[in-house]
Amino acid sequence: IDRRDASLSLSFLTVSFVSLLIGAIAGLLQTFVRSGAFELPFSIGYYQLLTAHGVLLALIFTTFFILGFLYAGISKTMGTLYDVPRRTGWLGFVMMTFGTILATVFILLNKATVLYTFYAPLQASPWFYVALVHVVVGSWLCAFSMWNQYYIWKSRTKNKLSPLFSYMAVMTMTLWFVATLGLAATVLLQFIPWSIGWVEKIDILISRTLFWYFGHPLVYFWLLPAYMCWYVVIPKIIGGKIFSDALARLSFVLFLLFSIPVGFHHQLLEPGIAHTWKFFQVVLTFMVIVPSLMTAFSMFAVFETAGRKKGTKGLFTWIKVLPWGDVRFFAPMMGMLIFIPAGAGGIINASHQLNQVIHNTLWVTGHFHLTVASTVALTFFGIGYWLIPHLTGRTLTSRMNKLGIVQTILWTVGMTIMSGAMHAVGLFGAPRRTSYTTYTGHPQAIDWIPYQIAMAIGGTILFLAIILLMYIVWFLAFKAPIGITEFPIGEVEEGALSTPAVLENWKLWVGISGALILIAYTIPFWHMIQHAPPGSPGYKFW
Ligand code: HAS
């Protein structure tokens, strides 16, 4: 792709991988502190490290990686970025990086020990919220720049069907924008006035509701770029074709519709929300499973069709001819395989009654280490292995390919041990996000210890995998031989259904999404505002 676009993309990827390293170190230290065996200097505590780990990995590593990947793919499929979108992208990058540094400093100073979910009643320094505003507004600039690129491209090509990758990028950023409105509302209207001391109280339920309005679509903001790789990139790598352009687009439309009005499934055990509304959002949660099932179907179809073209005849023999030795395929494939149990875990979480068993236990931590930290992260690593040398004008050598496979195996094994133990001990009632000391001496805590040890072993393997990843990334960026690495973009299967134009009718889809959000949230939100405690922003307002 164009060198100027490559440097924008590389800048995002750089911040992303630096955050990954710092976040991983915080993760390792936090396990040690929690074990009670270590004391860190400057009385660095468990919750402080947990906040650094969560914010830097779940929020920063992902968002910067996604933007870097999306910019590269847009430039590849729609052509070199136009001037205004590129400049807006840089402005977004600068704002986001400033916000990231500011937030990290305040977390490390122990002035923002509020965890990555940061809802009330936990309170941080106002500077932490100012930092978040920079990250979010910067990301909006990136969204605007991608929409702008898409708009100019559409008008110059007389409304031609957009390339699948770019369409998916626009959809992902649309989902992100609608979701972050909730985050902006709670930060600007609640947290900043409260943390500065302009208002005395904060409405906890409203802050949690606005957070989860954002927090659930956030997980699909992580997932969709991984799906972009599966739908568009993987078919090319395995020598196959995209099963159906229309199906891929439809699944992304369904994510826009159903991923937002479902935040209550994180609040099923919370008082103050009527069961009717919880039930309604649980139904919508089950709807958002559908596009993932469509993706699974589509991927199986791609794999089988590619295998059959290579002449395999048996029911499952096509599996054998997949390129298992190619890390560009192997890492995302491990992510896909892990997503089968991980998705089943999500369905358990969303089932109202079963949620009572797992809520606030280590099961949930296990769930998101299988989803975002395995399915998504492994796919991102797989992308990084070809995207970085593509952008730096180098080659993915066979030695790095082999090391990448070792890294993927280490990650998969480490995560299986760690998340497996988390799921199991969660079922025995071990709470999440609780420092070791709180439970010392409790008889039940003794039963949890073997699982804690398994978690520590898994975590240590994961840390080794991160170090190996860092070495590979550094080598691919600075040391690999100069050359050309392909940016794989698949083509659609010949016989596939042509894509209906309605799938690019943004007004329609954003309109339906807005209507669903209003239906799912207006009445319960109205109830919450009516019961806002005296002295909180909601109370004064009404
Ligand atoms: Fe979740 C909590 C429900 C998916 C992340 N989730 C979390 C939290 C995070 C998270 C971070 O309903 C914790 C938040 C916190 O800090 O409190 N989740 C779901 C449901 C799904 C789901 C229904 N979650 C995700 C994804 C995430 C993620 C994806 C990150 C990327 N989750 C919940 C609920 C809670 C929750 C409750 C709250 C729990 C509580 O009480 O606190 C669904 O989207 C899952 C659908 C997925 C599938 C799997 C499809 C499989 C595919 C792979 C196919 C494989 C192939 C390989 C093709 C149905 C697509 C073939 C192989 C060959 C060899 C051929």
Side-chain angles (χ1 to χ4, degrees):
I1 66 170
D2 186 285
R3 286 179 70 87
R4 292 163 301 170
D5 299 346
S7 49
L8 177 61
S9 174
L10 269 177
S11 306
F12 276 107
L13 296 184
T14 306
V15 178
S16 162
F17 281 105
V18 171
S19 308
L20 179 62
L21 181 62
I22 306 175
I25 294 172
L28 186 72
L29 292 177
Q30 140 214 313
T31 326
F32 291 155
V33 175
R34 192 174 196 257
S35 73
F38 288 87
E39 249 185 54
L40 291 177
F42 314 111
S43 28
I44 296 175
Y46 166 73
Y47 294 107
Q48 194 180 350
L49 290 165
L50 187 57
T51 307
H53 178 66
V55 170
L56 287 171
L57 296 188
L59 303 180
I60 301 299
F61 159 67
T62 49
T63 309
F64 277 79
F65 185 92
I66 290 167
L67 292 173
F69 176 47
L70 263 45
Y71 271 119
I74 286 179
S75 172
K76 170 79 187 166
T77 56
M78 282 200 292
T80 303
L81 293 179
Y82 302 112
D83 279 352
V84 175
R86 189 184 307 108
R87 266 189 253 131
T88 321
W90 274 113
L91 192 61
F93 170 76
V94 172
M95 275 191 85
M96 289 177 70
T97 308
F98 171 75
T100 300
I101 295 170
L102 191 64
T104 311
V105 168
F106 275 82
I107 293 169
L108 296 179
L109 289 173
N110 202 15
K111 302 252 183 258
T113 301
V114 288
L115 308 178
Y116 89 102
T117 41
F118 65 83
Y119 40 62
L122 299 179
Q123 191 191 58
S125 152
W127 290 108
F128 175 72
Y129 304 113
V130 170
L132 287 181
V133 170
H134 279 80
V135 175
V136 172
V137 175
S139 73
W140 285 353
L141 289 176
C142 296
F144 294 144
S145 95
M146 292 184 200
W147 295 336
N148 189 220
Q149 173 77 10
Y150 172 85
Y151 179 79
I152 304 174
W153 187 91
K154 284 290 264 185
S155 46
R156 292 200 180 169
T157 55
K158 301 207 175 57
N159 225 10
K160 213 174 117 186
L161 180 75
S162 57
L164 181 57
F165 187 103
S166 294
Y167 173 88
M168 291 172 151
V170 169
M171 186 63 86
T172 305
M173 294 315 287
T174 307
L175 185 145
W176 173 250
F177 181 76
V178 179
T180 42
L181 291 175
L183 184 68
T186 183
V187 168
L188 294 177
L189 302 175
Q190 293 194 291
F191 281 104
I192 291 188
W194 180 55
S195 61
I196 292 178
W198 290 338
V199 291
E200 192 192 331
K201 293 185 184 167
I202 189 161
D203 189 311
I204 294 171
L205 184 56
I206 291 180
S207 103
R208 290 174 68 104
T209 302
L210 287 171
F211 181 86
W212 286 120
Y213 164 93
F214 153 76
H216 196 73
L218 168 70
V219 314
Y220 296 110
F221 172 69
W222 300 330
L223 184 69
L224 292 192
Y227 277 9
M228 289 162 77
C229 168
W230 299 2
Y231 274 116
V232 185
V233 172
I234 292 292
K236 182 72 191 281
I237 293 175
I238 65 167
K241 294 250 167 104
I242 299 169
F243 172 67
S244 159
D245 178 280
L247 180 144
R249 288 183 203 238
L250 179 63
S251 79
F252 271 54
V253 166
L254 295 179
F255 276 115
L256 177 68
L257 302 190
F258 297 118
S259 73
I260 304 167
V262 295
F264 284 172
H265 72 224
H266 291 263
Q267 300 175 276
L268 291 176
L269 289 189
E270 238 160 89
I273 306 169
H275 279 296
T276 326
W277 295 107
K278 289 182 181 171
F279 177 74
F280 183 66
Q281 294 211 8
V282 162
V283 172
L284 291 177
T285 304
F286 275 78
M287 299 291 285
V288 82
I289 295 166
V290 173
S292 282
L293 295 176
M294 286 164 62
T295 306
F297 170 79
S298 183
M299 294 318 296
F300 273 101
V302 169
F303 296 145
E304 184 175 354
T305 322
R308 299 271 175 242
K309 276 187 192 149
K310 287 180 191 158
T312 57
K313 296 267 182 294
L315 193 54
F316 294 113
T317 38
W318 46 270
I319 297 178
K320 279 202 220 146
V321 296
L322 291 169
W324 295 99
D326 184 341
V327 71
R328 300 173 306 159
F329 164 78
F330 185 67
M333 173 50 108
M334 287 298 120
M336 282 181 221
L337 286 172
I338 291 178
F339 201 38
I340 298 174
I347 297 171
I348 290 172
N349 299 349
S351 309
H352 204 152
Q353 293 85 337
L354 293 180
N355 186 269
Q356 314 215 350
V357 180
I358 55 85
H359 183 67
N360 266 345
T361 68
L362 269 168
W363 166 285
V364 177
T365 321
H367 166 67
F368 68 71
H369 278 88
L370 283 191
T371 48
V372 64
S374 303
T375 302
V376 171
L378 279 168
T379 305
F380 286 3
F381 300 161
I383 295 169
Y385 290 140
W386 54 261
L387 183 58
I388 294 171
H390 174 84
L391 297 173
T392 52
R394 294 176 187 273
T395 46
L396 168 59
T397 58
S398 72
R399 189 170 144 257
M400 287 302 125
N401 184 64
K402 278 195 201 119
L403 281 182
I405 294 208
V406 173
Q407 196 274 339
T408 307
I409 293 172
L410 281 178
W411 193 267
T412 308
V413 170
M415 242 352 146
T416 308
I417 297 174
M418 192 179 86
S419 295
M422 285 171 168
H423 275 94
V425 77
L427 290 181
F428 298 140
R432 67 185 284 203
R433 296 172 148 174
T434 303
S435 164
Y436 171 83
T437 47
T438 321
Y439 287 91
T440 320
H442 190 287
Q444 202 183 348
I446 310 287
D447 298 340
W448 299 336
I449 287 172
Y451 298 92
Q452 307 270 14
I453 294 171
M455 279 155 53
I457 294 171
T460 312
I461 299 174
L462 286 167
F463 191 73
L464 293 177
I466 283 281
I467 300 298
L468 183 55
L469 175 77
M470 289 299 152
Y471 169 71
I472 303 171
V473 165
W474 169 82
F475 188 89
L476 292 175
F478 302 109
K479 292 282 165 208
I482 301 290
I484 294 172
T485 300
E486 182 196 14
F487 191 130
I489 293 282
E491 284 165 26
V492 180
E493 200 72 62
E494 281 88 27
L497 197 79
S498 64
T499 306
V502 69
L503 290 171
E504 280 206 274
N505 186 338
W506 296 98
K507 280 189 195 138
L508 176 70
W509 304 122
V510 174
I512 299 180
S513 167
L516 280 173
I517 292 168
L518 288 176
I519 295 169
Y521 272 111
T522 311
I523 295 176
F525 206 75
W526 173 248
H527 287 157
M528 287 174 206
I529 285 177
Q530 279 178 324
H531 296 107
S536 74
Y539 177 79
K540 283 205 169 170
F541 192 60
W542 294 100

